[in-house]
C-alpha cells in the first residue's frame, strides 16, 4: 500500500529524516513513535508531499508521488486524508461548512455535498452539531470534525499527526475507538504519529520507533511490547507496562525475588498453582499486572519463593520452562 523507499529530508545541514525504509500494508493501522525531534512528523508530511523528500521515493498504491508534477500531486492528495493535533478548523464556519469545504475544494457538486456531509456527521457522531461553530465544541468534538473533513473525499489513506495529544485521556480513548472503527468498517489504511506508547497499545497493528531521524525498530505491536530490541523502545514500553518494586519490599526476605514474564497463553494458565502442587515451596506475590495488547495478554509477576534450596531451584526451572522469561531480581541466601 505505502512504500517509503530510502527517504531523507534535509533542512540545511540537519537531517530530519535519514534514509528511512518502511512498508505499510493495506488496511493496517501503522504507528510511528518517537520523542520530539525524532523526525516522525516530518516523515508523515512526506507521505503526502506537504514536505517533499530531499531523496528517496514515496510510493502509494504503486504510484511514485515523488515523480509526479505539482498538479498531479494535488490530485493524489485527495486520496490521502489528514488530521492534526490542533484541528485546523475554520473558526468562522459552522461544522457543516467545515466538512463541506473539503468537498468543494475537490470540485463536488452541491447535490453531492448535501448527500455526503450528513453521512460524515453521522459517522463521527456529530449529527446534532452541524450548525455549531468550532468555538462551541469540546476538543474531542473538534477532532471529530477534523476526522469527518479528512474522510470527506473517501481517501484510501488517513494520516494522523499527534491527533490525540491535545485531548484528555477519556476523550483520547473515544477518538482512538472512532479511528479503529473507521479502519475496520472502511478498510482505510491509517498512519498514526504519536509520542505516547499507550496510543500505540490501544490501536496499532504494527509500529516503527524513530530516533534522530532514523527508524531503529519495527515490529508487530504485541511482539514489540513482549520483546523490545532497543533501549529507546524499552523506555517507551516502561511508560505502559512496567513494575517498579519498592526497596522496602526487599528487606527481610527469606527467599529469592523473581520476576516472571508471561506471553500469550501462558498469561492465562495456572502456572503458579501448578508449581505449588509439584514442589514444596511457598510463593508470595509482591507485585503484578496483565496488559492486553490486540486482545492478547502480556503479564508480569514479581514473587518471593521460599522453601528448601533444591525445591526452590526446581520450582524456578519449572516456571522458566513454562513461561517466556524468568529473571532473579534478588537472590536471598
Amino acid at each position: 500500500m505505502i512504500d517509503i523507499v530510502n527517504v531523507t529530508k534535509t533542512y540545511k545541514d540537519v537531517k530530519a529524516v535519514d534514509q528511512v525504509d518502511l512498508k505499510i500494508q493495506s488496511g493496517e493501522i501503522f504507528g510511528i513513535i518517537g520523542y520530539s525531534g525524532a523526525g516522525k512528523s516530518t516523515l508523515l508530511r512526506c507521505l503526502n508531499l506537504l514536505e517533499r523528500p530531499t531523496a528517496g521515493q514515496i510510493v502509494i498504491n504503486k504510484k511514485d508521488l515523488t515523480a509526479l508534477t505539482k498538479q498531479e500531486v494535488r490530485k493524489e492528495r485527495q486520496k490521502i486524508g489528514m488530521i492534526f493535533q490542533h484541528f485546523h478548523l475554520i473558526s468562522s464556519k459552522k461544522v457543516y461548512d467545515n466538512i463541506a469545504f473539503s468537498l468543494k475544494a475537490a470540485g463536488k457538486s452541491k447535490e453531492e455535498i448535501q448527500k455526503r456531509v450528513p453521512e460524515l456527521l453521522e459517522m463521527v457522531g456529530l449529527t446534532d452539531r452541524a450548525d455549531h461553530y468550532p468555538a462551541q465544541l469540546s476538543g474531542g468534538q473538534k477532532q471529530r470534525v477534523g476526522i469527518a473533513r479528512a474522510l470527506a473525499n473517501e481517501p484510501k489513506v488517513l494520516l494522523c499527526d499527534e491527533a490525540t495529544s491535545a485531548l484528555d485521556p477519556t476523550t483520547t480513548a473515544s477518538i482512538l475507538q472512532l479511528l479503529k472503527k473507521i479502519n475496520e468498517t472502511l478498510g482505510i489504511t491509517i498512519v498514526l504519529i504519536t509520542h505516547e506508547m499507550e496510543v500505540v497499545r490501544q490501536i496499532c497493528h504494527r509500529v516503527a520507533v524513530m530516533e534522530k531521524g532514523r527508524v531503529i525498530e519495527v515490529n508487530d505491536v504485541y511482539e514489540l511490547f513482549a520483546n523490545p530490541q532497543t533501549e529507546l523502545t524499552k523506555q517507551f514500553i516502561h511508560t505502559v507496562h512496567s513494575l517498579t518494586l519498592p526497596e522496602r519490599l526487599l528487606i527481610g526476605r527469606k527467599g529469592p525475588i523473581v520476576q516472571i514474564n508471561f506471553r500469550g497463553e501462558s498469561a492465562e494458565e495456572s502456572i503458579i498453582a501448578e508449581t505449588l502442587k509439584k514442589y514444596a515451596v511457598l510463593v508470595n506475590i509482591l507485585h503484578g499486572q496483565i496488559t492486553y495488547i490486540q486482545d492478547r495478554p502480556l503479564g508480569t509477576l514479581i514473587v518471593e519463593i521460599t522453601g528448601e534450596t533444591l525445591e526452590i531451584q526446581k520450582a524456578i526451572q519449572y516456571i522458566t520452562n513454562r513461561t517466556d522469561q524468568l529473571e532473579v531480581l534478588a537472590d536471598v541466601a
Side-chain angles (χ1 to χ4, degrees):
M1 178 61 174
I2 302 175
D3 287 330
I4 302 170
V5 185
N6 200 30
V7 166
T8 295
K9 178 62 180 179
T10 303
Y11 299 100
K12 294 184 179 179
D13 296 328
V14 178
K15 283 188 177 179
V17 177
D18 189 4
Q19 296 181 309
V20 169
D21 285 286
L22 285 174
K23 288 184 178 293
I24 300 172
Q25 303 302 320
S26 178
E28 76 174 334
I29 303 176
F30 190 92
I32 302 175
I33 191 168
Y35 290 124
S36 296
K40 57 190 187 297
S41 290
T42 301
L43 178 61
L44 188 78
R45 292 169 68 86
C46 284
L47 296 188
N48 59 3
L49 265 61
L50 287 178
E51 296 282 356
R52 183 171 283 273
T54 306
Q57 297 172 290
I58 301 295
V59 182
I60 299 180
N61 274 339
K62 300 181 180 179
K63 185 173 290 188
D64 183 359
L65 300 191
T66 53
L68 302 180
T69 65
K70 289 183 179 180
Q71 185 177 359
E72 289 171 332
V73 168
R74 283 195 293 270
K75 185 176 180 181
E76 288 302 312
R77 280 198 190 119
Q78 294 178 15
K79 304 173 186 177
I80 307 171
M82 190 165 187
I83 58 177
F84 306 89
Q85 177 181 358
H86 296 298
F87 321 128
H88 295 316
L89 302 182
I90 304 170
S91 60
S92 61
K93 291 184 179 293
K94 294 180 180 180
V95 167
Y96 184 101
D97 296 317
N98 264 278
I99 298 171
F101 183 82
S102 293
L103 294 162
K104 290 177 182 177
K108 301 296 183 182
S109 67
K110 183 177 180 180
E111 291 73 22
E112 289 175 304
I113 293 172
Q114 289 176 338
K115 180 177 184 295
R116 182 63 174 154
V117 173
E119 293 174 349
L120 292 162
L121 286 167
E122 183 175 0
M123 186 184 301
V124 301
L126 290 178
T127 300
D128 61 341
R129 293 292 187 272
D131 292 327
H132 286 61
Y133 288 97
Q136 297 173 296
L137 304 178
S138 67
Q141 290 170 335
K142 290 177 184 176
Q143 193 57 283
R144 286 172 183 267
V145 177
I147 293 170
R149 181 184 56 192
L151 296 175
N153 291 302
E154 301 180 276
K156 302 299 182 183
V157 175
L158 181 61
L159 307 180
C160 305
D161 190 3
E162 299 276 11
T164 60
S165 294
L167 306 175
D168 63 78
T170 300
T171 306
T172 290
S174 71
I175 293 298
L176 293 179
Q177 285 303 307
L178 175 59
L179 291 174
K180 187 175 182 180
K181 180 181 177 182
I182 288 167
N183 168 257
E184 292 172 348
T185 57
L186 302 180
I188 293 177
T189 303
I190 296 177
V191 184
L192 186 149
I193 298 298
T194 185
H195 62 271
E196 299 173 282
M197 204 63 182
E198 178 61 22
V199 170
V200 171
R201 183 191 72 80
Q202 287 191 44
I203 193 174
C204 295
H205 300 124
R206 289 195 302 137
V207 61
V209 182
M210 288 191 71
E211 183 179 31
K212 296 179 181 178
R214 285 184 170 268
V215 170
I216 61 171
E217 190 166 356
V218 185
N219 212 334
D220 167 88
V221 170
Y222 186 89
E223 293 302 322
L224 193 88
F225 269 83
N227 190 28
Q229 297 298 303
T230 66
E231 190 59 38
L232 179 61
T233 305
K234 292 175 183 177
Q235 291 176 20
F236 277 120
I237 290 171
H238 186 80
T239 65
V240 176
H241 182 82
S242 67
L243 298 177
T244 302
L245 195 65
E247 286 293 328
R248 65 178 182 79
L249 289 181
L250 298 177
I251 299 173
R253 293 297 161 194
K254 299 178 181 179
I257 310 298
V258 300
Q259 177 173 307
I260 309 162
N261 295 327
F262 301 88
R263 292 182 58 184
E265 293 181 358
S266 69
E268 298 174 335
E269 294 176 351
S270 55
I271 294 172
I272 299 300
E274 292 170 18
T275 302
L276 293 174
K277 284 184 179 181
K278 291 179 69 71
Y279 305 102
V281 296
L282 294 176
V283 175
N284 180 21
I285 297 174
L286 302 177
H287 209 341
Q289 73 176 41
I290 293 180
T291 300
Y292 282 86
I293 303 164
Q294 299 172 347
D295 294 327
R296 296 169 62 193
L298 180 66
T300 302
L301 197 62
I302 298 178
V303 302
E304 175 191 21
I305 303 176
T306 57
E308 296 295 329
T309 301
L310 183 58
E311 288 293 290
I312 291 174
Q313 292 173 350
K314 289 179 179 179
I316 287 176
Q317 188 59 54
Y318 177 76
I319 295 172
T320 301
N321 293 340
R322 292 288 306 278
T323 63
D324 178 64
Q325 183 182 355
L326 182 148
E327 177 185 358
V328 177
L329 301 180
D331 192 0
V332 180

